[in-house]
Each structure stands twice: as C-alpha cells, then as structure tokens.
Amino acid sequence: MTEEKIRVAVCPGSFDPVTNGHIDIISRTAKMFDKVIVAVGVNPKKTSSFTVEERVEMLRKACAEFENVEIATYQGLLADYVQHVGATGIVKGLRALTDFDYEFQMALTNRKLNPEVETLFLATSAENMFLSSSMVKQVAGFGGDISHFVPVCILEQIQNRICSGGNANG
Ligand code: PNS
C-alpha cells in the first residue's frame, strides 16, 4: 500500500503587519495544500514596526479560522527552512507588475538553493491590487481609515502602534 504524502506549503513574508491581501493568499493556499505554514522571516537588520512576537500573534488571530494553517518564524535562508519543514511549495501573492522583478529573483534564487521546491504565484484579488503593509502604515500614520485593509481583529493593535509613532523597539 502506498502511503499518501501530506502536501505542505510555506507562505513566507515580513507581515509587518499582516493585511487582507496576505489573508486572501493564505486562505486560497489553504484550499490547495494539506498544511500551510505562514512563516515570518526574522531579519534583525531590518527596522520593523512590530516585533516578531507581535507579528506572529496578529497572524494567529487573523488565521484562527483556518484549520490547516499554522504560524511560525524562520531565520536564515528560506530555502533551508522550507526543506527543514518538508514543504514542497513556496506560495506568494503577485500584485501589480512592480512585484514581478523582485519576486522572480527570489524564486530563481530559492530554486537554485533548493531545486526540490517550487515557488507558486497567486494573482492577487482585484481589491488588494495596491494593498501592502507599508501602504497600511502610511494611511494609519496620517490618521486614515485602514478598516478595509486589515483583519478587524487586529485593527486596534495596528492603529495604536502606528498612531503613537512607535516601532518594534518601542
Ligand atoms: O514580505 P517580504 O518582505 O516580501 O518577505 C521577504 C522574505 C522574508 C520572504 C524574504 O526576504 C526571505 O525569505 N528572506 C530570507 C533570506 C533568504 O532566503 N534570501 C534568499 C532568497 S531572496
């Protein structure tokens, strides 16, 4: 009897903070794979608005409804992490053409580092075409309404941090 293999995907990113665009990609990936690991890339050299712990906590709240989704962090190369967790796919969202160069570069680098893993791009949903974490932070920073851009369960947390002008270091 052949043993059926569980298909695992990794959705990597900074998630600083998670937006409705990310949730759209995560939920669609969860329909295609048995298990999805949403992995927050830890880069100590990058200044973030939210600590890694805060980003993980926000993702946990925002993804609570998806039974086959778990949240994790990784440090170092994504290609190594993907191998470590036994994933076969890296899934990322593609918005406008502007994403393409950077994402293509990352996908090719990751394939060179780990030929076993495929990067899959999902076309963003139309309403999230111009949505990004930086855009959310910019709008919130000027007191604008971000309720259409981020999950409602983390709205207040994002507003409090950005409106107070704070970042991950306080
Ligand atoms: O949300 P982002 O900023 O597009 O996420 C980028 C991230 C964290 C997925 C990417 O920078 C990453 O995987 N970094 C880990 C280091 C690595 O593997 N680099 C080589 C591939 S470019």
Side-chain angles (χ1 to χ4, degrees):
M1 204 169 75
T2 53
E3 218 175 287
E4 220 173 291
K5 215 175 147 203
I6 289 198
R7 292 197 165 271
V8 182
V10 170
C11 287
S14 306
F15 303 106
D16 188 43
V18 59
T19 68
N20 286 342
H22 295 126
I23 299 299
D24 174 50
I25 299 298
I26 293 166
S27 69
R28 288 159 60 196
T29 306
K31 288 183 191 148
M32 295 187 293
F33 285 82
D34 300 312
K35 178 172 148 185
V36 179
I37 303 173
V38 178
V40 181
V42 180
N43 182 353
K45 290 191 189 141
K46 206 167 152 185
T47 310
S48 311
S49 300
F50 296 89
T51 64
V52 174
E53 293 74 22
E54 287 169 333
R55 285 181 263 159
V56 166
E57 185 207 338
M58 286 192 284
L59 276 164
R60 287 219 169 102
K61 281 187 196 160
C63 294
E65 68 186 280
F66 309 122
E67 281 178 6
N68 59 340
V69 172
E70 62 184 57
I71 318 299
T73 63
Y74 69 98
Q75 214 156 0
L77 289 176
L78 176 61
D80 291 342
Y81 176 73
V82 165
Q83 177 144 18
H84 172 70
V85 296
T88 48
I90 296 172
V91 181
K92 299 212 76 181
L94 265 194
R95 289 165 298 189
L97 257 186
T98 42
D99 278 347
F100 190 79
D101 246 19
Y102 171 67
E103 294 294 347
F104 202 68
Q105 229 176 56
M106 281 207 287
L108 291 188
T109 307
N110 284 327
R111 187 132 65 101
K112 206 68 183 157
L113 295 169
N114 182 353
E116 298 297 310
V117 175
E118 289 291 350
T119 298
L120 310 172
F121 293 116
L122 297 187
T124 187
S125 299
E127 65 269 30
N128 300 324
M129 188 83 178
F130 297 103
L131 182 53
S132 67
S133 299
S134 358
M135 196 272 281
V136 163
K137 289 188 275 192
Q138 203 175 101
V139 173
F142 286 111
D145 178 13
I146 55 163
S147 60
H148 296 293
F149 304 146
V150 297
V152 67
C153 57
I154 58 168
L155 175 63
E156 214 177 297
Q157 188 173 356
I158 296 172
Q159 278 169 334
N160 288 346
R161 169 61 49 82
I162 304 302
C163 295
S164 70
N167 61 30
N169 304 315

PDB file of all heavy atoms in Angstrom, residues 8-13 15 26 29 33 35-40 68-74 81-82 84-87 89 91:
ATOM      1  N   VAL A   8       2.695  20.145   1.936  1.00  0.00           N
ATOM      2  CA  VAL A   8       2.898  21.299   2.814  1.00  0.00           C
ATOM      3  C   VAL A   8       3.382  22.496   1.991  1.00  0.00           C
ATOM      4  O   VAL A   8       4.265  22.351   1.138  1.00  0.00           O
ATOM      5  CB  VAL A   8       3.957  20.985   3.906  1.00  0.00           C
ATOM      6  CG1 VAL A   8       4.129  22.170   4.854  1.00  0.00           C
ATOM      7  CG2 VAL A   8       3.576  19.732   4.680  1.00  0.00           C
ATOM      8  N   ALA A   9       2.799  23.656   2.250  1.00  0.00           N
ATOM      9  CA  ALA A   9       3.253  24.888   1.588  1.00  0.00           C
ATOM     10  C   ALA A   9       3.712  25.885   2.638  1.00  0.00           C
ATOM     11  O   ALA A   9       3.201  25.897   3.769  1.00  0.00           O
ATOM     12  CB  ALA A   9       2.116  25.506   0.784  1.00  0.00           C
ATOM     13  N   VAL A  10       4.662  26.710   2.244  1.00  0.00           N
ATOM     14  CA  VAL A  10       5.089  27.801   3.125  1.00  0.00           C
ATOM     15  C   VAL A  10       4.689  29.123   2.469  1.00  0.00           C
ATOM     16  O   VAL A  10       4.953  29.344   1.280  1.00  0.00           O
ATOM     17  CB  VAL A  10       6.625  27.770   3.338  1.00  0.00           C
ATOM     18  CG1 VAL A  10       7.088  29.047   4.043  1.00  0.00           C
ATOM     19  CG2 VAL A  10       7.027  26.555   4.165  1.00  0.00           C
ATOM     20  N   CYS A  11       4.014  29.971   3.231  1.00  0.00           N
ATOM     21  CA  CYS A  11       3.737  31.344   2.788  1.00  0.00           C
ATOM     22  C   CYS A  11       4.661  32.255   3.597  1.00  0.00           C
ATOM     23  O   CYS A  11       4.381  32.534   4.771  1.00  0.00           O
ATOM     24  CB  CYS A  11       2.278  31.734   3.079  1.00  0.00           C
ATOM     25  SG  CYS A  11       1.072  30.963   2.012  1.00  0.00           S
ATOM     26  N   PRO A  12       5.778  32.682   3.001  1.00  0.00           N
ATOM     27  CA  PRO A  12       6.737  33.479   3.768  1.00  0.00           C
ATOM     28  C   PRO A  12       6.484  34.976   3.616  1.00  0.00           C
ATOM     29  O   PRO A  12       5.839  35.418   2.672  1.00  0.00           O
ATOM     30  CB  PRO A  12       8.066  33.116   3.098  1.00  0.00           C
ATOM     31  CG  PRO A  12       7.683  32.915   1.666  1.00  0.00           C
ATOM     32  CD  PRO A  12       6.257  32.437   1.623  1.00  0.00           C
ATOM     33  N   GLY A  13       7.000  35.746   4.553  1.00  0.00           N
ATOM     34  CA  GLY A  13       6.880  37.198   4.423  1.00  0.00           C
ATOM     35  C   GLY A  13       7.325  37.908   5.680  1.00  0.00           C
ATOM     36  O   GLY A  13       7.684  37.269   6.675  1.00  0.00           O
ATOM     37  N   PHE A  15       5.237  40.367   7.027  1.00  0.00           N
ATOM     38  CA  PHE A  15       3.947  40.527   7.722  1.00  0.00           C
ATOM     39  C   PHE A  15       4.018  41.644   8.771  1.00  0.00           C
ATOM     40  O   PHE A  15       3.677  41.427   9.927  1.00  0.00           O
ATOM     41  CB  PHE A  15       3.500  39.202   8.358  1.00  0.00           C
ATOM     42  CG  PHE A  15       3.384  38.069   7.379  1.00  0.00           C
ATOM     43  CD1 PHE A  15       4.333  37.051   7.353  1.00  0.00           C
ATOM     44  CD2 PHE A  15       2.344  38.027   6.463  1.00  0.00           C
ATOM     45  CE1 PHE A  15       4.244  36.005   6.432  1.00  0.00           C
ATOM     46  CE2 PHE A  15       2.241  36.988   5.542  1.00  0.00           C
ATOM     47  CZ  PHE A  15       3.184  35.971   5.531  1.00  0.00           C
ATOM     48  N   ILE A  26      -3.252  33.448   1.841  1.00  0.00           N
ATOM     49  CA  ILE A  26      -3.163  32.325   2.800  1.00  0.00           C
ATOM     50  C   ILE A  26      -4.412  31.437   2.688  1.00  0.00           C
ATOM     51  O   ILE A  26      -4.313  30.212   2.641  1.00  0.00           O
ATOM     52  CB  ILE A  26      -3.001  32.856   4.245  1.00  0.00           C
ATOM     53  CG1 ILE A  26      -1.641  33.552   4.406  1.00  0.00           C
ATOM     54  CG2 ILE A  26      -3.160  31.729   5.268  1.00  0.00           C
ATOM     55  CD1 ILE A  26      -1.505  34.398   5.670  1.00  0.00           C
ATOM     56  N   THR A  29      -4.325  29.433  -0.462  1.00  0.00           N
ATOM     57  CA  THR A  29      -3.299  28.376  -0.385  1.00  0.00           C
ATOM     58  C   THR A  29      -3.814  27.221   0.478  1.00  0.00           C
ATOM     59  O   THR A  29      -3.567  26.046   0.179  1.00  0.00           O
ATOM     60  CB  THR A  29      -1.996  28.951   0.215  1.00  0.00           C
ATOM     61  OG1 THR A  29      -1.612  30.094  -0.527  1.00  0.00           O
ATOM     62  CG2 THR A  29      -0.871  27.931   0.172  1.00  0.00           C
ATOM     63  N   PHE A  33      -3.409  23.078  -0.381  1.00  0.00           N
ATOM     64  CA  PHE A  33      -2.423  22.231   0.304  1.00  0.00           C
ATOM     65  C   PHE A  33      -3.044  21.637   1.568  1.00  0.00           C
ATOM     66  O   PHE A  33      -4.000  22.184   2.118  1.00  0.00           O
ATOM     67  CB  PHE A  33      -1.180  23.057   0.673  1.00  0.00           C
ATOM     68  CG  PHE A  33      -0.288  23.362  -0.509  1.00  0.00           C
ATOM     69  CD1 PHE A  33      -0.582  24.420  -1.361  1.00  0.00           C
ATOM     70  CD2 PHE A  33       0.827  22.580  -0.773  1.00  0.00           C
ATOM     71  CE1 PHE A  33       0.231  24.695  -2.460  1.00  0.00           C
ATOM     72  CE2 PHE A  33       1.646  22.854  -1.862  1.00  0.00           C
ATOM     73  CZ  PHE A  33       1.345  23.914  -2.706  1.00  0.00           C
ATOM     74  N   LYS A  35      -1.425  21.327   4.421  1.00  0.00           N
ATOM     75  CA  LYS A  35      -0.974  22.138   5.552  1.00  0.00           C
ATOM     76  C   LYS A  35      -0.236  23.368   5.029  1.00  0.00           C
ATOM     77  O   LYS A  35       0.529  23.270   4.066  1.00  0.00           O
ATOM     78  CB  LYS A  35      -0.031  21.286   6.410  1.00  0.00           C
ATOM     79  CG  LYS A  35       0.557  22.007   7.589  1.00  0.00           C
ATOM     80  CD  LYS A  35       1.304  20.997   8.464  1.00  0.00           C
ATOM     81  CE  LYS A  35       2.492  21.611   9.150  1.00  0.00           C
ATOM     82  NZ  LYS A  35       3.278  20.648   9.902  1.00  0.00           N
ATOM     83  N   VAL A  36      -0.511  24.511   5.651  1.00  0.00           N
ATOM     84  CA  VAL A  36       0.153  25.750   5.244  1.00  0.00           C
ATOM     85  C   VAL A  36       0.883  26.329   6.456  1.00  0.00           C
ATOM     86  O   VAL A  36       0.301  26.487   7.530  1.00  0.00           O
ATOM     87  CB  VAL A  36      -0.864  26.796   4.730  1.00  0.00           C
ATOM     88  CG1 VAL A  36      -0.149  28.095   4.341  1.00  0.00           C
ATOM     89  CG2 VAL A  36      -1.648  26.249   3.553  1.00  0.00           C
ATOM     90  N   ILE A  37       2.170  26.601   6.260  1.00  0.00           N
ATOM     91  CA  ILE A  37       2.934  27.252   7.322  1.00  0.00           C
ATOM     92  C   ILE A  37       3.159  28.698   6.896  1.00  0.00           C
ATOM     93  O   ILE A  37       3.814  28.964   5.888  1.00  0.00           O
ATOM     94  CB  ILE A  37       4.293  26.552   7.555  1.00  0.00           C
ATOM     95  CG1 ILE A  37       4.071  25.076   7.884  1.00  0.00           C
ATOM     96  CG2 ILE A  37       5.070  27.250   8.664  1.00  0.00           C
ATOM     97  CD1 ILE A  37       5.357  24.264   7.977  1.00  0.00           C
ATOM     98  N   VAL A  38       2.560  29.608   7.651  1.00  0.00           N
ATOM     99  CA  VAL A  38       2.791  31.030   7.393  1.00  0.00           C
ATOM    100  C   VAL A  38       4.031  31.392   8.195  1.00  0.00           C
ATOM    101  O   VAL A  38       4.025  31.335   9.426  1.00  0.00           O
ATOM    102  CB  VAL A  38       1.578  31.877   7.832  1.00  0.00           C
ATOM    103  CG1 VAL A  38       1.852  33.352   7.593  1.00  0.00           C
ATOM    104  CG2 VAL A  38       0.322  31.429   7.089  1.00  0.00           C
ATOM    105  N   ALA A  39       5.117  31.711   7.483  1.00  0.00           N
ATOM    106  CA  ALA A  39       6.408  31.851   8.158  1.00  0.00           C
ATOM    107  C   ALA A  39       6.897  33.300   8.123  1.00  0.00           C
ATOM    108  O   ALA A  39       7.071  33.888   7.047  1.00  0.00           O
ATOM    109  CB  ALA A  39       7.424  30.930   7.494  1.00  0.00           C
ATOM    110  N   VAL A  40       7.099  33.854   9.310  1.00  0.00           N
ATOM    111  CA  VAL A  40       7.598  35.223   9.431  1.00  0.00           C
ATOM    112  C   VAL A  40       9.123  35.175   9.356  1.00  0.00           C
ATOM    113  O   VAL A  40       9.777  34.547  10.191  1.00  0.00           O
ATOM    114  CB  VAL A  40       7.165  35.842  10.781  1.00  0.00           C
ATOM    115  CG1 VAL A  40       7.677  37.281  10.901  1.00  0.00           C
ATOM    116  CG2 VAL A  40       5.651  35.788  10.943  1.00  0.00           C
ATOM    117  N   ASN A  68      -6.012  24.282   8.812  1.00  0.00           N
ATOM    118  CA  ASN A  68      -4.746  23.680   8.367  1.00  0.00           C
ATOM    119  C   ASN A  68      -3.612  24.707   8.229  1.00  0.00           C
ATOM    120  O   ASN A  68      -2.647  24.468   7.521  1.00  0.00           O
ATOM    121  CB  ASN A  68      -4.945  22.921   7.045  1.00  0.00           C
ATOM    122  CG  ASN A  68      -5.464  23.817   5.933  1.00  0.00           C
ATOM    123  OD1 ASN A  68      -6.025  24.877   6.197  1.00  0.00           O
ATOM    124  ND2 ASN A  68      -5.276  23.400   4.699  1.00  0.00           N
ATOM    125  N   VAL A  69      -3.771  25.846   8.897  1.00  0.00           N
ATOM    126  CA  VAL A  69      -2.740  26.886   8.818  1.00  0.00           C
ATOM    127  C   VAL A  69      -2.060  27.045  10.167  1.00  0.00           C
ATOM    128  O   VAL A  69      -2.723  27.144  11.195  1.00  0.00           O
ATOM    129  CB  VAL A  69      -3.366  28.239   8.396  1.00  0.00           C
ATOM    130  CG1 VAL A  69      -2.342  29.366   8.500  1.00  0.00           C
ATOM    131  CG2 VAL A  69      -3.908  28.155   6.970  1.00  0.00           C
ATOM    132  N   GLU A  70      -0.721  27.027  10.154  1.00  0.00           N
ATOM    133  CA  GLU A  70      -0.007  27.326  11.395  1.00  0.00           C
ATOM    134  C   GLU A  70       0.997  28.446  11.159  1.00  0.00           C
ATOM    135  O   GLU A  70       1.407  28.700  10.026  1.00  0.00           O
ATOM    136  CB  GLU A  70       0.653  26.080  11.984  1.00  0.00           C
ATOM    137  CG  GLU A  70       1.691  25.443  11.119  1.00  0.00           C
ATOM    138  CD  GLU A  70       2.223  24.145  11.751  1.00  0.00           C
ATOM    139  OE1 GLU A  70       1.411  23.231  12.027  1.00  0.00           O
ATOM    140  OE2 GLU A  70       3.432  24.052  11.952  1.00  0.00           O
ATOM    141  N   ILE A  71       1.353  29.125  12.246  1.00  0.00           N
ATOM    142  CA  ILE A  71       2.232  30.287  12.144  1.00  0.00           C
ATOM    143  C   ILE A  71       3.588  29.936  12.755  1.00  0.00           C
ATOM    144  O   ILE A  71       3.651  29.299  13.810  1.00  0.00           O
ATOM    145  CB  ILE A  71       1.639  31.512  12.909  1.00  0.00           C
ATOM    146  CG1 ILE A  71       0.122  31.650  12.666  1.00  0.00           C
ATOM    147  CG2 ILE A  71       2.400  32.785  12.553  1.00  0.00           C
ATOM    148  CD1 ILE A  71      -0.302  31.875  11.244  1.00  0.00           C
ATOM    149  N   ALA A  72       4.654  30.338  12.063  1.00  0.00           N
ATOM    150  CA  ALA A  72       5.995  30.032  12.568  1.00  0.00           C
ATOM    151  C   ALA A  72       6.937  31.179  12.202  1.00  0.00           C
ATOM    152  O   ALA A  72       6.529  32.138  11.527  1.00  0.00           O
ATOM    153  CB  ALA A  72       6.478  28.726  11.935  1.00  0.00           C
ATOM    154  N   THR A  73       8.170  31.070  12.657  1.00  0.00           N
ATOM    155  CA  THR A  73       9.186  32.055  12.263  1.00  0.00           C
ATOM    156  C   THR A  73      10.393  31.292  11.715  1.00  0.00           C
ATOM    157  O   THR A  73      10.568  30.113  12.011  1.00  0.00           O
ATOM    158  CB  THR A  73       9.658  32.894  13.468  1.00  0.00           C
ATOM    159  OG1 THR A  73      10.280  32.023  14.415  1.00  0.00           O
ATOM    160  CG2 THR A  73       8.520  33.634  14.127  1.00  0.00           C
ATOM    161  N   TYR A  74      11.185  31.982  10.913  1.00  0.00           N
ATOM    162  CA  TYR A  74      12.437  31.369  10.456  1.00  0.00           C
ATOM    163  C   TYR A  74      13.509  32.444  10.377  1.00  0.00           C
ATOM    164  O   TYR A  74      13.229  33.614  10.173  1.00  0.00           O
ATOM    165  CB  TYR A  74      12.273  30.659   9.111  1.00  0.00           C
ATOM    166  CG  TYR A  74      12.025  31.581   7.926  1.00  0.00           C
ATOM    167  CD1 TYR A  74      13.060  31.964   7.083  1.00  0.00           C
ATOM    168  CD2 TYR A  74      10.753  32.069   7.676  1.00  0.00           C
ATOM    169  CE1 TYR A  74      12.827  32.809   6.007  1.00  0.00           C
ATOM    170  CE2 TYR A  74      10.512  32.906   6.611  1.00  0.00           C
ATOM    171  CZ  TYR A  74      11.544  33.276   5.780  1.00  0.00           C
ATOM    172  OH  TYR A  74      11.314  34.116   4.719  1.00  0.00           O
ATOM    173  N   TYR A  81      14.782  26.601   5.304  1.00  0.00           N
ATOM    174  CA  TYR A  81      13.622  26.437   6.179  1.00  0.00           C
ATOM    175  C   TYR A  81      12.572  25.528   5.525  1.00  0.00           C
ATOM    176  O   TYR A  81      12.019  24.622   6.152  1.00  0.00           O
ATOM    177  CB  TYR A  81      13.017  27.810   6.517  1.00  0.00           C
ATOM    178  CG  TYR A  81      11.766  27.695   7.344  1.00  0.00           C
ATOM    179  CD1 TYR A  81      11.841  27.337   8.691  1.00  0.00           C
ATOM    180  CD2 TYR A  81      10.512  27.896   6.774  1.00  0.00           C
ATOM    181  CE1 TYR A  81      10.678  27.185   9.448  1.00  0.00           C
ATOM    182  CE2 TYR A  81       9.352  27.750   7.526  1.00  0.00           C
ATOM    183  CZ  TYR A  81       9.454  27.399   8.867  1.00  0.00           C
ATOM    184  OH  TYR A  81       8.324  27.243   9.608  1.00  0.00           O
ATOM    185  N   VAL A  82      12.347  25.771   4.247  1.00  0.00           N
ATOM    186  CA  VAL A  82      11.341  25.004   3.510  1.00  0.00           C
ATOM    187  C   VAL A  82      11.703  23.514   3.507  1.00  0.00           C
ATOM    188  O   VAL A  82      10.853  22.644   3.703  1.00  0.00           O
ATOM    189  CB  VAL A  82      11.231  25.578   2.069  1.00  0.00           C
ATOM    190  CG1 VAL A  82      10.494  24.646   1.157  1.00  0.00           C
ATOM    191  CG2 VAL A  82      10.538  26.927   2.113  1.00  0.00           C
ATOM    192  N   HIS A  84      13.608  22.067   5.771  1.00  0.00           N
ATOM    193  CA  HIS A  84      13.519  21.636   7.165  1.00  0.00           C
ATOM    194  C   HIS A  84      12.095  21.210   7.553  1.00  0.00           C
ATOM    195  O   HIS A  84      11.902  20.243   8.277  1.00  0.00           O
ATOM    196  CB  HIS A  84      14.007  22.795   8.045  1.00  0.00           C
ATOM    197  CG  HIS A  84      13.818  22.594   9.500  1.00  0.00           C
ATOM    198  ND1 HIS A  84      14.546  21.666  10.218  1.00  0.00           N
ATOM    199  CD2 HIS A  84      12.973  23.186  10.390  1.00  0.00           C
ATOM    200  CE1 HIS A  84      14.146  21.710  11.480  1.00  0.00           C
ATOM    201  NE2 HIS A  84      13.200  22.607  11.606  1.00  0.00           N
ATOM    202  N   VAL A  85      11.089  21.936   7.036  1.00  0.00           N
ATOM    203  CA  VAL A  85       9.700  21.602   7.404  1.00  0.00           C
ATOM    204  C   VAL A  85       9.038  20.648   6.401  1.00  0.00           C
ATOM    205  O   VAL A  85       7.861  20.323   6.535  1.00  0.00           O
ATOM    206  CB  VAL A  85       8.824  22.881   7.581  1.00  0.00           C
ATOM    207  CG1 VAL A  85       9.323  23.717   8.741  1.00  0.00           C
ATOM    208  CG2 VAL A  85       8.766  23.707   6.298  1.00  0.00           C
ATOM    209  N   GLY A  86       9.800  20.233   5.394  1.00  0.00           N
ATOM    210  CA  GLY A  86       9.272  19.251   4.436  1.00  0.00           C
ATOM    211  C   GLY A  86       8.212  19.808   3.500  1.00  0.00           C
ATOM    212  O   GLY A  86       7.309  19.082   3.074  1.00  0.00           O
ATOM    213  N   ALA A  87       8.336  21.100   3.183  1.00  0.00           N
ATOM    214  CA  ALA A  87       7.352  21.701   2.271  1.00  0.00           C
ATOM    215  C   ALA A  87       7.775  21.493   0.824  1.00  0.00           C
ATOM    216  O   ALA A  87       8.963  21.386   0.520  1.00  0.00           O
ATOM    217  CB  ALA A  87       7.213  23.196   2.562  1.00  0.00           C
ATOM    218  N   GLY A  89       6.128  23.522  -1.639  1.00  0.00           N
ATOM    219  CA  GLY A  89       5.808  24.766  -2.347  1.00  0.00           C
ATOM    220  C   GLY A  89       5.989  26.003  -1.481  1.00  0.00           C
ATOM    221  O   GLY A  89       5.730  25.982  -0.281  1.00  0.00           O
ATOM    222  N   VAL A  91       4.453  29.688  -1.526  1.00  0.00           N
ATOM    223  CA  VAL A  91       3.368  30.396  -2.206  1.00  0.00           C
ATOM    224  C   VAL A  91       3.411  31.873  -1.863  1.00  0.00           C
ATOM    225  O   VAL A  91       3.464  32.252  -0.685  1.00  0.00           O
ATOM    226  CB  VAL A  91       1.984  29.806  -1.840  1.00  0.00           C
ATOM    227  CG1 VAL A  91       0.879  30.551  -2.582  1.00  0.00           C
ATOM    228  CG2 VAL A  91       1.935  28.322  -2.177  1.00  0.00           C
TER     229      VAL A  91
END
